[in-house]
Amino acid sequence: MTAAAHQDADAIVVGGGLAGLVATAELVAAGRRVILVDQEADQSLGGQAFWSLGGLFLVDSPEQRRMGIKDSYELAWQDWQGTAGFDRPEDYWPRKWAEAYVGWAAGEKRAWLREQGIGLMPQVGWAERGDGTAEGHGNSVPRFHLTWGVGPAVIRPFVEKLRTAAAEGRLELRFRHRVDALVLADGAVMGVRGSVLEPAADERGRPTSRAAVGAFELAAQAVIVTTGGIGANLDMVRRNWPARLGTPPESMVQGVPDYVDGRMLEIASTQAGAGIVNPDRMWHYVEGLRNWDPIWTDHGIRIIPGPSSLWLDATGRRLPPPNFPGFDTLGTLATIKATGHDHSWFVLTRTIVEKEFALSGSEQNPDIAGQSVRELVRARLAKGAPGPVQAFVDHGADFVTATDVDELVRRMNALTDEPLLDRDQVERTIVARDRQVENTYTKDAQIQAIRNARTYLVDKVTRVVAPHRLLDPDHGPLIAVKLNLLTRKTLGGLHTDLDGRVLASASPEDAASAIPIPGLYAAGEVSGFGGGGMHGYRALEGTFLGGCLFSGRTAGRAVARAVA
């Protein structure tokens, strides 16, 4: 790569989230001069990964084997392909990225994590249990490995490397620098220019000022874009909303901080001719809660549910199989949207909420985030629901409790603009479900799924309650939770090859032979976690943080070679 007449660095990384941290760490380790720019302040370094639960997808790990789980690359790749549903010409590079990532998850990934100082919890969770078919969507076995220390522990080793490099003069960290344009010369990206934003002392995650107090321009041999997705830009989410998931929601809660705005997608596309593929592929949850103690705008928290709650649509009808809690996120989203409403309901008992409810987010799991074994044991074995869950039961706008169905339905209807629920219909549905738990065998597919889950020891001990009648007063009171649609991940994005080089826009039929834009690379969610959408239509969970790690590592190493 030809060097510019003046260079401020060998490489510029735009975005201080997880993919940007990893890419920068790789560049610095290779002896390259790097500038990292981010529109947020120093306290937000690490981006939305800080707020994550820290789940990581691994295949045939020691943790799995200790749990008696038989996993393999072949099974995981089968699950990935059945989940992704690759069916477009532009899936050429996404599929190659997916195959490489699954190979990494089944091979080097765990050892590399340990080298970074990232530890794992001993139990393995079973996320996205699927659509009920062997070759379709979902994880055939548990693969969700929780980081000891959740999101903050994932970003910590890379933040420490960058702080050290900055202190030694090998890296410049330029916060409150918002990139507004890419600098090009003869078709190659040679740098960035933008606005210096006024200082912001706001707490991590809170919205910050966009008032500009200056301008900047930086030159380098390569630029890596790692600015994340579109989850906080609800207008952009609606513009890209796929018809297969129904009409765009009128009502959503926001699962990511305000700075996840999608700006660099448009900048790269319009200014450098970057290809954007699969923009209609996205990952949003259906178990969102309005945060009673919000940090960012319209702050939503996701329930990570066990399989036992009764799931009703907005009118009180039970969702059909396989739309059970924790099984098929986007399949359930399509089912809910087909009702003409944007919300649905869980109906459950005190017993279920105490054992089966977990909340996504590092701040909602202080015992694991604090990495205290004593506090973890105390919090998780104590009687009652975990503290953060109980706080939502007590203060959350979406929770109601009652001693009988009359009171429950009355309070549920009070939470919506119009009373959509019929008391008798809800009771009939609950009673019909309750009759199915009297025997160990049943025709009810959800009860079958609960019993199947309890054959996995981790689920039986820590995650899934024994089937019981919802109307059994010994398990009461009754609880209902209004579930909102919650934005989260962008599954499409900048089209990249296996080195993370951004490819020029091309017709879908020419996607496999699209030409790289000299000097421009991308990693993380802005590139659909690799290739412009390595997940295809759906995700297996634990693959978003891992996708940032893998694509950031790949792009960082590729740029280090290119600017040598």
Side-chain angles (χ1 to χ4, degrees):
M1 186 176 293
T2 303
H6 165 75
Q7 290 179 356
D8 298 288
D10 296 320
I12 297 167
V13 177
V14 183
L18 181 58
L21 296 182
V22 177
T24 303
E26 291 289 341
L27 285 161
V28 169
R32 307 296 177 260
R33 296 179 302 121
V34 188
I35 299 174
L36 185 150
V37 299
D38 194 285
Q39 65 181 343
E40 293 305 308
D42 180 280
Q43 60 268 29
S44 288
L45 188 61
Q48 67 187 95
F50 174 89
W51 302 102
S52 75
L53 192 61
L56 295 167
F57 175 93
L58 292 168
V59 178
D60 192 27
S61 69
E63 289 76 18
Q64 287 175 297
R65 293 194 292 272
R66 281 195 291 269
M67 295 292 117
I69 298 165
K70 296 179 181 180
D71 200 6
S72 66
Y73 169 82
E74 292 76 15
L75 180 60
W77 182 229
Q78 173 182 302
D79 285 349
W80 193 290
Q81 291 179 92
T83 295
F86 295 124
D87 61 359
R88 297 172 174 174
E90 55 266 48
D91 284 333
Y92 176 83
W93 286 112
R95 182 185 175 91
K96 285 189 173 295
W97 268 93
E99 193 167 6
Y101 177 73
V102 175
W104 190 57
E108 183 190 359
K109 181 179 180 181
R110 185 179 182 278
W112 183 81
L113 291 169
R114 290 178 65 86
E115 288 175 6
Q116 310 309 314
I118 297 173
L120 303 173
M121 300 281 283
Q123 73 272 29
V124 183
W126 196 351
E128 284 296 296
R129 301 179 188 222
D131 64 2
T133 63
E135 294 184 276
H137 167 61
N139 286 292
S140 296
V141 297
R143 297 190 177 109
F144 191 84
H145 296 66
L146 194 63
T147 302
W148 177 230
V150 292
V154 176
I155 69 170
R156 186 177 300 124
F158 306 104
V159 170
E160 290 174 353
K161 290 177 182 180
L162 269 58
R163 299 283 191 205
T164 298
E168 295 173 352
R170 297 180 288 126
L171 167 67
E172 290 185 47
L173 297 171
R174 299 204 181 185
F175 299 106
R176 301 297 284 162
H177 281 55
R178 183 188 67 202
V179 172
D180 299 322
L182 296 171
V183 178
L184 288 94
D186 299 324
V189 174
M190 306 298 290
V192 298
R193 70 169 61 98
S195 304
V196 179
L197 305 180
E198 66 180 359
D202 306 83
E203 180 185 352
R204 178 191 285 270
R206 294 198 182 279
T208 56
S209 168
R210 291 294 178 261
V213 295
F216 72 93
E217 183 168 336
L218 298 168
Q221 295 182 56
V223 173
I224 309 178
V225 177
T226 61
T227 50
I230 67 173
N233 188 334
L234 300 189
D235 289 338
M236 189 176 288
V237 169
R238 292 186 178 100
R239 284 199 304 272
N240 289 293
W241 191 265
R244 65 184 175 276
L245 295 181
T247 58
E250 295 181 10
S251 174
M252 293 181 280
V253 291
Q254 193 170 294
V256 292
D258 294 59
Y259 51 73
V260 186
D261 55 19
R263 291 182 71 255
M264 284 304 298
L265 285 165
E266 183 174 350
I267 289 170
S269 175
T270 59
Q271 297 179 12
I276 296 177
V277 295
N278 304 314
D280 63 329
R281 292 179 180 169
M282 50 187 67
W283 187 258
H284 304 306
Y285 292 109
V286 287
E287 312 99 337
L289 303 174
R290 291 171 287 174
N291 196 343
W292 66 273
D293 187 19
I295 297 172
W296 53 80
T297 304
D298 296 325
H299 189 171
I301 293 292
R302 184 205 173 196
I303 298 170
I304 303 177
S308 300
S309 295
L310 180 65
W311 208 332
L312 306 179
D313 70 17
T315 66
R317 292 173 301 209
R318 189 177 184 183
L319 299 190
N323 300 303
F324 310 137
F327 276 68
D328 186 352
T329 294
L330 291 194
T332 307
L333 173 55
T335 298
I336 290 170
K337 286 300 301 173
T339 68
H341 300 279
D342 292 337
H343 72 277
S344 59
W345 294 94
F346 277 168
V347 173
L348 58 147
T349 63
R350 170 191 52 81
T351 300
I352 293 173
V353 80
E354 289 180 354
K355 189 169 184 177
E356 294 198 5
F357 268 36
L359 300 173
S360 183
S362 56
E363 81 283 11
Q364 301 298 331
N365 295 272
D367 49 352
I368 306 176
Q371 294 182 296
S372 167
V373 175
R374 177 180 296 180
E375 177 60 22
L376 176 65
V377 172
R378 187 200 67 77
R380 301 287 163 155
L381 295 184
K383 183 178 176 58
V389 173
Q390 189 60 51
F392 269 87
V393 174
D394 294 339
H395 307 295
D398 298 308
F399 281 78
V400 298
T401 60
T403 57
D404 56 45
V405 175
D406 282 342
E407 182 184 14
L408 187 75
V409 173
R410 185 169 63 253
R411 292 185 174 183
M412 292 166 72
N413 276 328
L415 289 187
T416 57
D417 294 333
E418 55 179 320
L420 298 173
L421 300 169
D422 177 77
R423 179 257 179 226
D424 292 341
Q425 178 183 318
V426 171
E427 183 176 54
R428 281 195 304 272
T429 301
I430 294 174
V431 170
R433 178 264 182 209
D434 280 1
R435 287 173 179 148
Q436 296 296 311
V437 304
E438 298 299 328
N439 297 289
T440 57
Y441 45 86
T442 177
K443 72 175 183 180
D444 188 287
Q446 184 176 6
I447 306 303
Q448 293 173 13
I450 295 167
R451 296 195 191 282
N452 181 55
R454 285 175 57 82
T455 64
Y456 175 44
L457 182 62
V458 169
D459 274 355
K460 182 176 182 179
V461 173
T462 69
R463 189 74 173 122
V464 182
V465 301
H468 60 272
R469 292 186 299 109
L470 299 180
L471 296 180
D472 184 343
D474 290 341
H475 294 278
L478 284 165
I479 299 171
V481 188
K482 182 187 176 191
L483 304 174
N484 307 274
L485 303 186
L486 177 138
T487 65
R488 186 75 94 201
K489 297 297 180 186
T490 309
L491 298 187
L494 293 175
H495 201 194
T496 61
D497 66 9
L498 280 178
D499 278 336
R501 298 183 298 177
V502 175
L503 304 172
S505 180
S507 65
E509 293 74 19
D510 297 327
S513 56
I515 298 171
I517 299 170
L520 185 60
Y521 294 73
E525 190 176 352
V526 76
S527 65
F529 303 93
M534 75 169 187
H535 293 90
Y537 288 95
R538 309 170 195 84
L540 287 172
E541 289 285 25
T543 57
F544 301 131
L545 290 178
C548 289
L549 294 169
F550 185 58
S551 61
R553 176 179 181 261
T554 298
R557 292 182 177 186
V559 171
R561 293 191 301 269
V563 302

